[in-house]
């Protein structure tokens, strides 16, 4: 593990107020926050969206979940949300950071009736996830699955075939499955903020996409109302009010059904 290079999971943990990060993660996080002072609000609203989306999918009868880009465990993990609906639910977490791996194995403990697995894998190597023996031992891909892609696709560049990655995942899901995804966008931000964010992304690892480009990655799915919307506003009527402005969150999300 190279702790001199910022990692998205550790940087996200920093923004959420966690303790599992290094100097490079904090420096990167601070640079982004200088360009977008509300970035911590964005991180918190993504987390809240995850809980609402997972709960909705579970309420529709799905009992298997694949959470890719899970990040360092924090209150409201996917298995806690969906096993509150049905303790027999099964969850597979996927991330590619050793710190996430160690914490996940120690903390992501299933309810006795269900099961939880953790895969050390990279979304860019999609087949390594779908073909993993631990995934096959936990999830039955002939039955509906809830696929969660929360704040991860904006780390896959176009030249890494983000469309092919998403399509490979969708092709593996049987009808009746659901997808919940979020994606950062700069479409609501002023030009000066975008310029600062671009300067804070020197390696080009982060790629924002507007709502239309984000939705196109998932063509063919049946969007749950209200479709693609700010994560701060999607099914957020029971969250603390007033809700943050879309400009302060700059992240879209949706839930959709696989027909």
């Amino acid at each position: 593990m190279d702790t001199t290079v910022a990692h998205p999971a550790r940087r996200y943990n920093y923004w959420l107020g966690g303790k599992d990060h290094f100097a490079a993660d904090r420096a990167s996080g601070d640079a982004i926050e200088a360009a977008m002072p509300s970035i911590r609000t964005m991180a918190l609203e993504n987390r809240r969206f995850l809980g609402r989306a997972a709960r909705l999918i579970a309420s529709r009868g799905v009992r298997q979940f694949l959470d890719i880009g899970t990040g360092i465990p924090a209150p409201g993990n996917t298995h806690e949300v969906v096993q509150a609906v049905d303790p027999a639910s099964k969850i597979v977490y996927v991330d590619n950071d050793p710190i996430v791996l160690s914490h996940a194995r120690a903390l992501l403990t299933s309810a006795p009736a269900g099961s939880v697995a953790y895969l050390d894998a990279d979304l860019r190597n999609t087949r390594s996830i779908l073909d993993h023996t631990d995934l096959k031992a936990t999830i039955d891909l002939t039955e509906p699955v809830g696929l969660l892609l929360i704040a991860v696709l904006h780390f896959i560049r176009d030249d890494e075939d983000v469309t092919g990655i998403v399509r490979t995942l969708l092709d593996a899901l049987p009808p009746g499955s659901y997808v919940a995804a979020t994606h950062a966008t700069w479409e609501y931000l002023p030009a000066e903020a975008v310029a600062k964010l671009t300067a804070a992304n020197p390696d080009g690892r982060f790629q924002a996409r507007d709502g239309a480009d984000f939705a196109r990655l998932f063509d063919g799915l049946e969007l749950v109302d209200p479709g693609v919307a700010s994560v701060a506003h999607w099914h957020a009527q029971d969250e603390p009010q007033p809700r943050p402005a879309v400009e302060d969150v700059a992240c879209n999300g949706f839930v959709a059904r696989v027909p």
Side-chain angles (χ1 to χ4, degrees), residues 17-224:
K19 300 177 180 179
D20 301 294
H21 39 75
F22 297 97
D25 307 306
R26 295 188 289 275
S28 174
D30 289 345
I32 294 171
E33 188 171 10
M36 185 180 174
S38 60
I39 191 65
R40 294 177 188 266
T41 299
M42 176 178 171
L44 288 167
E45 290 301 328
N46 253 293
R47 191 72 184 175
R48 289 182 172 130
F49 173 92
L50 165 64
R52 300 194 304 272
R55 193 174 299 112
L56 182 145
I57 295 170
S59 74
R60 296 191 172 193
V62 176
R63 297 296 178 260
Q64 306 182 111
F65 290 81
L66 175 57
D67 184 344
I68 302 177
T70 179
I72 295 168
N77 296 295
T78 301
H79 74 284
E80 296 169 332
V81 173
V82 301
Q83 289 185 345
V85 177
D86 185 342
S89 296
K90 301 176 180 180
I91 301 88
V92 173
Y93 291 105
V94 181
D95 212 305
N96 67 344
D97 180 63
I99 286 184
V100 176
L101 173 63
S102 63
H103 282 277
R105 287 179 172 163
L107 299 175
L108 300 182
T109 305
S110 173
S115 60
V116 168
Y118 180 86
L119 310 186
D120 182 19
D122 194 311
L123 176 57
R124 289 167 291 185
N125 190 357
T126 318
R127 289 308 326 175
S128 72
I129 298 172
L130 296 173
D131 295 338
H132 201 290
T133 54
D134 289 347
L135 182 142
K136 292 180 177 180
T138 308
I139 288 180
D140 179 359
L141 289 175
T142 67
E143 296 292 331
V145 174
L147 172 63
L148 306 179
L149 296 167
I150 306 299
V152 65
L153 289 173
H154 44 235
F155 297 112
I156 309 295
R157 300 189 306 262
D158 286 343
D159 65 355
E160 294 172 315
D161 192 19
V162 63
T163 301
I165 288 170
V166 170
R167 189 52 49 187
T168 298
L169 289 169
L170 297 183
D171 287 347
L173 301 178
S177 295
Y178 281 83
V179 177
T182 70
H183 201 297
T185 178
W186 292 344
E187 63 192 303
Y188 308 119
L189 302 180
E192 57 269 26
V194 173
K196 291 179 180 178
L197 287 165
T198 301
N201 182 41
D203 63 355
R205 171 47 53 203
F206 177 88
Q207 183 167 345
R209 296 180 177 92
D210 64 25
D213 288 340
F214 175 40
R216 269 192 292 272
L217 295 174
F218 297 89
D219 279 347
L221 300 189
E222 299 171 350
L223 289 169
V224 173

